[in-house]
Amino acid sequence: MAYFNGTRANLPIKQFKTELSKDGYVYATTSRLVALTYIARVIPNMFTSQKGKEIFIEPIPNFFEKTTKGVSGYLYTLEEEEGFEEFLQGKRCGHQNVVRIKKDVDVKSVEHIKDIYEELQKYIENGELEILRFETLSSEFVTNLQKMLIYSANNPHREIDDSINRFYDIEKYFNGKP
């Protein structure tokens, strides 16, 4: 079985280390697509797995294009190790097919992804990734989603890597003033 990880970090990773993790695990996925969403991930992270399919939910019009076009990163294939355990989908992880291990894992190979938008288009075309467009969502759903995202952005206990946060004031962003 193949294990993947994706990142925007522009440095050569030869080994994923537990010491760099907040909880002492190395996380990976058995899905190339899920690993690609790690590269595309922005705050708010609108990728999730639903019924075995990857979904991107747009909280504002054209959010998918605005946050993925021109974004590059690296897709890592990790060495197969004994001891990977399934990490169940929940509040901390919105994806299925995620695994973790409590030891360092070497990189087997790396692929540069020049434009994540173009790479994700292949998965959209074959039906593995669906974009839930802003225009198709109920106004009540969008309002509740935006309120939740604003609350999350303002919560001092949130776990956000600000280096990937393109939207410094999410409330202004939702109101069309990025």
Side-chain angles (χ1 to χ4, degrees):
M1 176 173 297
Y3 299 101
F4 303 98
N5 201 317
T7 181
R8 291 185 188 187
N10 192 16
L11 34 114
I13 298 173
K14 298 194 185 299
Q15 186 179 62
F16 283 81
K17 297 180 178 275
T18 58
E19 67 190 45
L20 300 176
S21 171
K22 292 178 183 177
D23 63 359
Y25 286 95
V26 168
Y27 289 85
T29 177
T30 57
S31 166
R32 183 177 188 276
L33 173 55
V34 170
L36 290 171
T37 71
Y38 297 165
I39 298 169
R41 187 177 94 190
V42 295
I43 303 302
N45 182 11
M46 301 312 304
F47 285 98
T48 188
S49 299
Q50 294 180 4
K51 299 178 184 172
K53 187 177 200 172
E54 289 306 304
I55 305 290
F56 183 91
I57 304 168
E58 283 194 325
I60 61 169
N62 303 311
F63 192 68
F64 180 71
E65 288 81 2
K66 288 177 182 179
T67 58
T68 60
K69 273 189 177 177
V71 172
S72 66
Y74 296 89
L75 180 70
Y76 292 90
T77 302
L78 306 181
E79 291 290 343
E80 295 180 33
E81 293 281 349
E82 291 293 321
F84 272 106
E85 62 184 39
E86 183 179 9
F87 186 73
L88 297 177
Q89 184 177 11
K91 285 185 179 181
R92 287 195 55 218
C93 178
H95 293 285
Q96 297 168 348
N97 306 311
V98 174
V99 295
R100 67 183 184 176
I101 191 168
K102 212 164 193 47
K103 67 179 186 178
D104 298 345
V105 181
D106 291 332
V107 170
K108 187 167 148 180
S109 65
V110 63
E111 176 186 357
H112 180 249
I113 306 296
K114 186 176 178 180
D115 188 330
I116 194 66
Y117 174 82
E118 290 178 13
E119 193 67 24
L120 290 173
Q121 288 302 309
K122 298 172 191 174
Y123 290 90
I124 292 170
E125 290 168 11
N126 73 17
E128 292 180 66
L129 173 62
E130 181 180 347
I131 309 302
L132 295 182
R133 296 286 179 185
F134 173 84
E135 297 79 14
T136 66
L137 303 172
S138 74
S139 60
E140 181 182 2
F141 179 84
V142 169
T143 299
N144 289 335
L145 176 63
Q146 290 181 358
K147 284 180 183 176
M148 184 267 308
L149 293 169
I150 291 166
Y151 171 79
S152 179
N154 292 322
N155 181 348
H157 301 293
R158 73 190 191 280
E159 293 180 19
I160 290 181
D161 175 357
D162 286 326
S163 68
I164 61 173
N165 186 357
R166 291 185 181 183
F167 311 104
Y168 300 103
D169 186 333
I170 200 161
E171 192 165 8
K172 285 182 183 175
Y173 190 82
F174 287 147
N175 293 321
K177 302 170 192 169

